[in-house]
Amino acid sequence: MDARIIQGLNRVAAPFTQVSLSFLQLPEEFRQLFQNGNKDRYSPLAYARLMAGSLFPQYGRIVYLDADVLLAGDVAELYFSDLRGASVAAAGDGLALWSIEKGTMHPHLEYMGNYLSSPLSYCNSGVLVLDLDQMRRRNLEHRLLQWLRSRPEPFPYPDQDILNIALHGDITPLPPEWNFQFLSWTWDEEKTRLLRGTEFENVPSISCGRSWKLLHMVGPEKPWRLPDAPGTMGQFHWILYSFFWWPEAKKLPAFRKELDAISQGLAPLLRRHIRGQQWKLFFSRGHIFRKRRDKIRWLKKLLSILDGRKP
């Protein structure tokens, strides 16, 4: 991070007296190890969470959160999660839920089956409660580094895969509401039935009631970037995430200038897309008509958020 970014982050934190920020230099030995990351999508810094015991020797327990999350619950509740003797708490990944729902193992979990005795226990590393004292006692950092050194090529999901492999059997599951990754999923009675008795059993009710405690905007689509091409699943995700992210982001006065600039760039794109969908609506029939009509309503709501009006 350069000085400008650090100053901007400090401005964001300044109004919150209970918040303080500190910045660490990654040790050179770690920096060299992390250079084999998938740089197209992942920063080598993604591995740093695996080294938390060394980076934060003054702490016995920490909470790690990805940057693409919205916290709706009390983070203290997450911090005091019962780890049941494990070193780490993490929520199940969407790939595991996908596998249960489809009745077949996701290709990535099939691949992970070469390393895990129970691939369906595969966890998402975007939200972690780390018992650093326990990790130090069990010398888990050494195990993680061994896996990192032993791979000439990175795993598809580098730090997440390594964390699941090295800590397999030493991760206690977090409730899905503390890492809710399923905003765009749809549910019916059959899908809900398949989840009974699994750690994802409450996901449909959490989704319908919007009762998550932490929303994780997984995937490459982020509401602060330009949306994907019209009509794609990526744009659908972008619209969903934006409904929740933009109203909260606009409450941060330190970033108002930057957010207004993004909003002014996105609004014309949405208006053009709405006009295009309205034109096509004249030639649509049946379920295509209803689908386009609903999409126009969604886009208009999103535009109202960007314009600062009540949707």
Side-chain angles (χ1 to χ4, degrees), residues 246-247 250 259-260 262-271 274 299-311:
W246 272 96
K250 281 179 171 285
L259 292 170
D260 285 346
I262 296 172
S263 177
Q264 289 167 13
L266 292 174
L269 293 175
L270 288 175
R271 290 192 182 97
I274 290 170
L299 290 168
K300 284 184 174 179
K301 285 182 180 180
L302 180 56
L303 183 61
S304 70
I305 293 172
L306 295 181
D307 286 343
R309 294 179 282 111
K310 186 176 179 181

Side-chain angles (χ1 to χ4, degrees), residues 49-196:
R49 79 194 80 176
L50 309 180
M51 307 296 113
S54 293
L55 293 173
F56 304 104
Q58 69 273 40
Y59 298 121
R61 175 182 283 215
I62 64 169
V63 169
Y64 168 85
L65 303 178
D66 268 358
D68 57 350
V69 302
L70 278 172
L71 190 63
D74 185 349
V75 72
E77 182 184 340
L78 180 60
Y79 177 86
F80 288 110
S81 298
D82 183 3
L83 270 60
R84 303 174 201 166
S87 301
V88 178
D93 191 77
L95 299 182
L97 189 149
W98 185 95
S99 300
I100 294 170
E101 185 183 279
K102 300 292 184 182
T104 183
M105 199 67 72
H106 188 279
H108 183 66
L109 295 192
E110 281 190 354
Y111 164 75
M112 291 302 292
N114 297 318
Y115 306 95
L116 306 178
S117 60
S118 176
L120 286 178
S121 65
Y122 185 78
C123 296
N124 183 277
S125 64
V127 177
L128 301 171
V129 183
L130 301 167
D131 185 333
L132 300 186
D133 287 337
Q134 188 90 286
M135 293 178 73
R136 294 183 193 107
R137 283 195 295 271
R138 297 180 179 178
N139 201 22
L140 294 184
E141 189 173 302
H142 175 70
R143 195 188 309 171
L144 290 162
L145 286 171
Q146 276 188 321
W147 271 105
L148 195 56
R149 292 189 181 102
S150 68
R151 292 283 300 185
E153 297 293 329
F155 285 101
Y157 299 97
D159 64 291
Q160 182 167 286
D161 290 345
I162 291 173
L163 184 107
N164 274 274
I165 294 168
L167 304 185
H168 192 45
D170 198 19
I171 302 175
T172 198
L174 281 173
E177 59 262 32
W178 276 114
N179 188 349
F180 197 78
Q181 314 150 48
F182 318 106
L183 187 59
S184 63
W185 295 43
T186 56
W187 311 100
D188 55 32
E189 187 175 341
E190 175 61 19
K191 290 180 180 179
T192 301
R193 184 187 64 79
L194 291 170
L195 300 182
R196 288 175 192 157

Side-chain angles (χ1 to χ4, degrees), residues 270-285:
L270 288 175
R271 290 192 182 97
R272 284 201 299 272
H273 193 26
I274 290 170
R275 287 195 296 269
Q277 290 296 316
Q278 288 172 332
W279 174 253
K280 292 176 183 177
L281 201 62
F282 287 112
F283 307 99
S284 303
R285 296 290 182 272

Side-chain angles (χ1 to χ4, degrees), residues 213-233:
K213 296 180 179 179
L214 185 147
L215 177 64
H216 190 179
M217 298 176 286
V218 293
E221 302 84 15
K222 308 300 179 191
W224 53 86
R225 295 177 178 164
L226 287 173
D228 210 337
T232 62
M233 185 57 71

